[in-house]
Structures are given as C-alpha cells and as structure tokens.
Amino acid sequence: MNSNEQSNFVDSIRKEDRVALLEIYKIYFPQTRHYIMANSGNVFDAEDVFQDALVLIYLKIKKNTLNLKNSFGSYLYGVVKFLWLKELERKRKYFGTSVEDADLLLGDIDFLEDYVKMEKRKLVLEHYNELNEECKKILDLHIKETPISISTAIMGYASDQYTMNRKSKCKSRLFRAVWNNPRYKELKDELNQQDTKVPRW
Amino acid sequence: MNSISRIQKYLDGSMSENELKKFREDLQKDPELVQELDLYRSIDKVVASRDEERFRKKLNEVYEAYNALPTDKIDKKPVSGKKVSKKWLIAVSATIISTLSLVFYFVAIKKESNQVIFEKYMVTYSNNLTLRSHSQLDAGKKRLEYGIQLYTRGNYSDASQQFKIVLSEDSENQNARFYNGLCYMYLNEFQSAITSFEYILTQPYSFIQENAKFYLAMCYVRINNDETAKTLLQEIISDNSSHSDIAQKVLKKLR
C-alpha cells in the first residue's frame, strides 16, 4: 500500500467515509482479531478494541495531533496493542512485557492522556444514557443553552425555579454516577501514576 | 454544603464574596475538589459533543456490513508494510505448491471436521432487547440484563452465574435459559447447552425457539452427532426460519 493510500485512510476517517471504513475493517480487523484471540481475548474484545482504536485515531485526526511516523497500519496496530495491553492490565491477567512497549511503539507521549480522555468520555456517555428520559431532555436543553423559560414550557413544568432545580439534580446524579464509578478512579490514578496534569477536556 | 452544591454555586456565579474566597482557597489545597470541578465542567462538553458517539454508531454499522461480507472478500493480508523479496516469494510459492498438493489429497478423501464446520457456520447471537432505564426494571430483569451485558462482553462464566440465579427464582424464564445455553456452548460445555436448548423447545412457542433450535443443531454438529444435527437442520429449513440459509449450508457440509 503506497503513502497516498495511507493518507487517504486518514482523510477518509476524518470524513467518516463509510466505504473507506469498511476497507479498513477488511484489511486490518483480521489481524487484530488474531492478536487479541492469541492473547487471552475473544472476538467481542477484538471488536471493542478495534473500534476504540479507530475512535482514538479519529479524535486525534480531529484535533490535528495525529503524527504518523510509519504506515497507517503500523500505527493502528500499535494503538490496538496499547489498548489491549491496558485492558489486560485492568483485568489483572497480564504478566508479560511492560505496556510501555506499546506506548513507545506509538512514539506519542500524549497518547496515554488521549486514552484516559476517551475512556472518561465513554463513562460520562454511558451514565448519561442510563439517565431517565426526563433528565436527558432537560440536560440537552441546558447544553443547547435554551432559555430557561422555553425549557420550562417544553418540559411542562410549573416554574423556572423548578426547571433549574431539576436540571441541577439531574446533573448531580450524572456527576455522582461517574465520580463513584470505580473505573473513573482507576483512570484518575492512571494519570496520577504518570505524574501528568489533571486533564482538561 | 456538599462539594457538588458548592461547585454548582461557583459555576452559576451565585457565591457570596466570602464563599468564593473560601472555595478558591480550598481549590488550592484540595486536589480532589479540583478533579470534581473538572469533571463537573466537562460533563456538558462531553454530552454536547456527539461526534464520538456518531462515529461509534457509524463504526457499528460498518462492522455489521463487514460481518455480512462473504469470507473470500475479507483481506487476510498482514498489517506489516515491509516489502517481500523475490527469493522469499519463490520459496513461499514452492512451499505453497507442495502444501496445496497435500491439502488437495486430504480434501479429496476427507470432508471438513465437525469442529471446523461448527466454527465456520457459528453465528454469534446478539441480543435485540431494548435497554430501558435501569430503574424501571425489577430485580430479576436487572439481573438478566446484567447477565446479557456480561455475555455480550464475552464473560460467559460470570454471565452464566447470573442466568442461573434468575432461573433459580423463575425457572420458566426462557431468555435466561437461552442465554445460559449460549454461555455453556461458548464454554465448550455442549451437553449442558443441549439440555438448555432442548428444554426451551418443550415449552409453549416463543420467538426464541427458532434460535434455540439452530444452536441446538450446532451443538450436535460440534459433538459429532450428525444424525440428530441433520434432523434438526432439516426442520429449520422446512420451518423457513431465519437460520434456514445457514442450515442448508451446514447440512450440505455434513453429507
């Protein structure tokens, strides 16, 4: 595969081009599946890890921080390895070489921070999706900066004050769910161990 | 006042001067408060930015399309970008030719093993349950849902434990029995899987029986009980069930 085709993949991910994404699955997913299944995983793990790897790359492309030193395939495979080793480390199954190998392989010192950010975002969205419909609706209105009087009318509440109270309660509920999730603590510790600053999303 | 209320007041700008001063002092001393503030601020941003969620949905659709591709359309090329030398190609070609001769010999005299047929035609069952708000579910349904989540993540052993608890409280729960059967199957406990699927087939009709019959047939394929497997596959084809196309292919391989 030549470098034009490689950069086309990057461009296609940026554009979320379905045909090119299918091509990426066709070319690179079998090897990911093989790697993960050969290292204590199953096909569902392979699906999740491959998707997370593409999401991480997508987010880096969007931020213009993707720095491909080798081929797209090598980079993708490096991300897959990194994510899977992290997952194994989490599952306390991993006793082999250090995960720093995968980190170095990527040649990207900010990668751990990107990974933690992605995992935190996943947690927030996971808990957001678990909120009841009323909470989701009121938070959506708040996020879209809908004027409070309009939100009150849409929600059918009696007063603006009640709308504000409901919004605060829903947001607090979401906050507590994320904050109390053990995975969130793991992610905080992950960055503390690396002695990096508190991430700003 | 708890930290969330303080953070809310701080972000709303409704703190008194004294409260604000104290809050800023606490931020200097308490790294946890900094992290709480950071998370609280980030929630709006994460929920508002749907790019990632949209991209994941697209990837799910692409993966479904990928799974629907015939096997020969999937590129098996390794990821490595290294160029292959001519000498290496010649050596590999020679090896391939001699290996192919051997393979041809074996294929001609022996059909695919049942294990290969099983692995080739096994269809992963993914649930179509609509996940509702967790609080609206009763304890049994919550456990069932949790078990399905574990199953979906490939944690069959823990999932099976959850389904067994559901069944101990509600032995007629066909969903729990069906998923427990699937777990047994993935744990290579085929006799237990067969017992689960056969039990479902003795119950009043439900949509799950169509799936149970298919996986039951595949279990019989896997344990080399070709006759029972063939009978079940014939029934699946006659029923014109959603698995009838695969049943035809598997039946052809068993003949």
Side-chain angles (χ1 to χ4, degrees):
Chain A
M1 187 167 292
N2 62 39
S3 60
N4 267 349
E5 284 171 304
Q6 302 280 354
S7 65
N8 281 348
F9 275 149
V10 173
D11 204 36
S12 306
I13 291 174
R14 188 197 312 278
K15 291 176 185 158
E16 303 174 27
D17 179 340
R18 215 176 285 261
V19 176
L21 289 170
L22 181 60
E23 203 55 30
I24 290 172
Y25 266 90
K26 278 160 67 179
I27 298 171
Y28 302 113
F29 183 67
Q31 184 151 345
T32 296
R33 185 174 50 205
H34 176 77
Y35 168 73
I36 286 173
M37 291 176 82
N39 288 285
S40 322
N42 58 40
V43 72
F44 302 109
D45 295 322
E47 286 168 29
D48 289 348
V49 167
F50 195 72
Q51 183 176 104
D52 280 353
L54 288 175
V55 168
L56 259 174
I57 292 173
Y58 168 80
L59 294 171
K60 285 184 90 62
I61 292 170
K62 288 265 170 183
K63 280 197 309 179
N64 285 324
T65 58
L66 183 74
N67 185 10
L68 282 188
K69 286 182 181 145
N70 297 311
S71 68
F72 173 81
S74 302
Y75 188 83
L76 174 61
Y77 195 48
V79 179
V80 162
K81 271 181 84 175
F82 175 89
L83 292 175
W84 183 237
L85 293 173
K86 279 280 165 210
E87 185 64 19
L88 288 179
E89 194 183 53
R90 265 185 75 202
K91 291 178 175 175
R92 307 274 183 257
K93 274 187 186 172
Y94 181 68
F95 302 106
T97 37
S98 155
V99 286
E100 278 81 18
D101 288 355
D103 209 5
L104 283 174
L105 189 76
L106 297 168
D108 180 347
I109 50 165
D110 292 330
F111 200 82
L112 182 72
E113 200 169 312
D114 287 335
Y115 158 75
V116 169
K117 283 178 190 171
M118 181 187 75
E119 290 293 307
K120 284 185 173 178
R121 275 195 299 269
K122 268 164 73 180
L123 268 186
V124 172
L125 287 173
E126 194 181 304
H127 286 292
Y128 167 81
N129 286 323
E130 282 172 0
L131 290 175
N132 62 39
E133 290 306 316
E134 184 200 1
C135 271
K136 278 196 244 181
K137 199 168 167 185
I138 201 164
L139 286 181
D140 282 348
L141 289 167
H142 160 69
I143 286 158
K144 286 177 194 157
E145 297 181 348
T146 312
I148 197 76
S149 56
I150 295 175
S151 296
T152 305
I154 291 172
M155 297 304 293
Y157 293 151
S159 68
D160 292 351
Q161 186 56 48
Y162 184 77
T163 307
M164 285 191 284
N165 290 344
R166 291 298 301 154
K167 186 264 295 176
S168 297
K169 278 194 175 149
C170 290
K171 198 168 166 189
S172 299
R173 191 183 298 172
L174 177 55
F175 172 88
R176 273 196 297 270
V178 178
W179 184 260
N180 294 327
N181 190 314
R183 176 72 180 133
Y184 190 77
K185 189 177 177 317
E186 278 175 22
L187 291 167
K188 277 192 299 176
D189 292 346
E190 184 100 52
L191 279 179
N192 289 339
Q193 279 164 17
Q194 296 292 320
D195 197 27
T196 52
K197 62 183 188 298
V198 177
R200 301 279 164 190
W201 316 342
Chain B
M1 193 187 291
N2 67 31
S3 57
I4 301 179
S5 313
R6 289 180 78 202
I7 290 169
Q8 279 183 346
K9 273 190 95 173
Y10 173 71
L11 294 175
D12 291 347
S14 57
M15 276 183 163
S16 68
E17 245 177 63
N18 281 343
E19 284 173 330
L20 190 60
K21 193 177 166 216
K22 177 79 175 61
F23 186 77
R24 284 183 176 147
E25 280 170 9
D26 289 346
L27 279 178
Q28 297 293 320
K29 292 183 290 193
D30 184 357
E32 184 142 308
L33 183 62
V34 175
Q35 290 186 333
E36 285 179 309
L37 176 63
D38 199 57
L39 171 61
Y40 203 85
R41 271 182 173 149
S42 71
I43 282 177
D44 287 358
K45 212 169 158 185
V46 172
V47 176
S49 166
R50 297 294 172 84
D51 281 6
E52 185 177 330
E53 210 181 0
R54 189 189 58 238
F55 188 63
R56 280 188 188 278
K57 275 185 189 160
K58 193 163 277 185
L59 289 178
N60 285 336
E61 288 164 15
V62 168
Y63 184 65
E64 274 178 32
Y66 167 80
N67 267 338
L69 289 172
T71 324
D72 59 343
K73 297 276 180 202
I74 295 171
D75 198 333
K76 304 277 195 233
K77 274 189 291 187
V79 172
S80 166
K82 285 178 189 167
K83 285 191 176 176
V84 182
S85 74
K86 274 187 181 174
K87 275 183 187 171
W88 175 245
L89 273 178
I90 292 165
V92 169
S93 306
T95 313
I96 288 173
I97 290 166
S98 55
T99 311
L100 278 177
S101 311
L102 280 171
V103 168
F104 178 77
Y105 171 74
F106 281 112
V107 168
I109 59 166
K110 191 181 182 323
K111 72 178 179 69
E112 280 175 321
S113 77
N114 279 26
Q115 186 175 344
V116 171
I117 296 170
F118 176 85
E119 281 164 10
K120 199 166 173 183
Y121 293 100
M122 195 58 216
V123 182
T124 304
Y125 185 79
S126 57
N127 77 81
N128 295 316
L129 291 182
T130 310
L131 296 181
R132 284 156 294 176
S133 165
H134 214 57
S135 58
Q136 290 166 9
L137 300 175
D138 65 34
K141 283 181 183 164
K142 275 182 188 171
R143 192 177 291 283
L144 176 67
E145 193 181 273
Y146 178 54
I148 293 171
Q149 280 175 8
L150 290 169
Y151 161 84
T152 309
R153 296 199 65 81
N155 189 348
Y156 305 120
S157 187
D158 290 346
S160 178
Q161 290 304 321
Q162 297 301 320
F163 298 134
K164 281 177 194 162
I165 296 171
V166 175
L167 287 168
S168 69
E169 289 160 2
D170 173 15
S171 62
E172 300 300 307
N173 192 319
Q174 291 205 36
N175 275 315
R177 197 170 295 278
F178 173 67
Y179 275 101
N180 201 26
L182 291 175
C183 289
Y184 282 134
M185 195 179 67
Y186 286 112
L187 292 167
N188 288 337
E189 295 175 30
F190 295 104
Q191 284 303 344
S192 302
I194 286 170
T195 308
S196 299
F197 295 138
E198 282 183 339
Y199 181 86
I200 291 169
L201 295 181
T202 65
Q203 297 302 297
Y205 179 78
S206 75
F207 78 94
I208 221 154
Q209 287 186 347
E210 200 173 273
N211 294 311
K213 192 180 272 190
F214 173 73
Y215 289 105
L216 178 63
M218 293 307 284
C219 284
Y220 278 118
V221 169
R222 184 63 180 73
I223 63 166
N224 298 317
N225 186 336
D226 287 12
E227 288 317 303
T228 313
K230 281 179 190 171
T231 308
L232 286 163
L233 292 166
Q234 288 284 13
E235 283 177 27
I236 292 165
I237 296 163
S238 315
D239 296 345
N240 200 20
S241 92
S242 53
H243 299 290
S244 60
D245 286 351
I246 298 177
Q248 275 177 7
K249 287 177 188 165
V250 177
L251 194 60
K252 208 170 157 187
K253 292 279 177 189
L254 289 177
R255 279 174 180 151

